[in-house]
Structure formats: C-alpha cells, structure tokens
Amino acid sequence: EFIQEARARMASHVPRVRMLYRKICKELYHYSATRPVWGEFIQEARARFEANRDVTDEAKIQALIKDGEKWLIDNKCGDPYIVPTNPGGTKFQRNVPPSLEIVEKHS
C-alpha cells in the first residue's frame, strides 16, 4: 500500500518534469548558432536533471520544478529562431501562388 501511494505521488510530477525538460531544450535552441553547440547545452541541462533524478522528498521535488520554471522564465530568449518559411519567418508567404479566383477572373 505504501509503495502504491509513493508511485502515485511520483507519477503526479513526472509529466511536469518531462514538459519542463522539453521546454528548456527548445529554449536552449534559440541560444545556439549550430546544432553541436545546442547539443552541448542540452547535455548540460540533462546532467542537471539527472543529478536530481533520485530525489524522493515531495517538497524538494516541487522546489526543483519551481526553480526550473523560474529559470525558463528568466532566460526567455528575446530573439527566438524562427524557421524562415514559418509564420514570422523571412520567407513566409514569399512568392505565394495567386488564388484561383484571380486566375479564373483574368483567364
């Protein structure tokens, strides 16, 4: 019974930690000029997550999650990388083919 309660408590924070890790990885992408540099940033982030993997104290886990979320807010990139063909990118809707209405009207 105690083990089931412990698993239930652990399961409640696992999705938050997973999403925090993913958000941090995506945010670190904006700070790197190349994929190898991004990979180094991710390895450092992963090492920090792994260092706290075996923490079982619920209060400590919540404090670590709050620290990670605060880091994410404090280190938000002011000039994020945008894929050129995505909305907001430099090539978005460049040379867009004309709509069918215009083509049919002038044919």
Side-chain angles (χ1 to χ4, degrees), residues 37-56:
V37 173
W38 182 46
E40 291 174 17
F41 288 160
I42 288 177
Q43 286 176 351
E44 291 172 17
R46 182 67 182 205
R48 292 187 69 185
F49 273 79
E50 289 294 332
N52 295 304
R53 182 181 200 112
D54 297 324
V55 175
T56 56

Side-chain angles (χ1 to χ4, degrees), residues 24-103:
I24 287 174
C25 289
K26 288 178 182 180
E27 190 61 34
L28 289 173
Y29 182 69
H30 301 306
Y31 286 99
S32 57
T34 62
R35 287 186 76 86
V37 173
W38 182 46
E40 291 174 17
F41 288 160
I42 288 177
Q43 286 176 351
E44 291 172 17
R46 182 67 182 205
R48 292 187 69 185
F49 273 79
E50 289 294 332
N52 295 304
R53 182 181 200 112
D54 297 324
V55 175
T56 56
D57 180 29
E58 190 68 29
K60 176 75 172 167
I61 291 170
Q62 294 304 322
L64 289 167
I65 291 172
K66 291 276 186 201
D67 289 345
E69 290 170 345
K70 184 180 182 321
W71 182 93
L72 192 59
I73 291 168
D74 292 344
N75 292 292
K76 192 88 170 144
C77 184
D79 187 22
Y81 176 76
I82 300 171
V83 177
T85 54
N86 285 356
T90 56
K91 291 184 178 181
F92 181 65
Q93 291 191 337
R94 185 179 289 183
N95 299 325
V96 177
S99 67
L100 289 177
E101 294 172 355
I102 294 173
V103 172

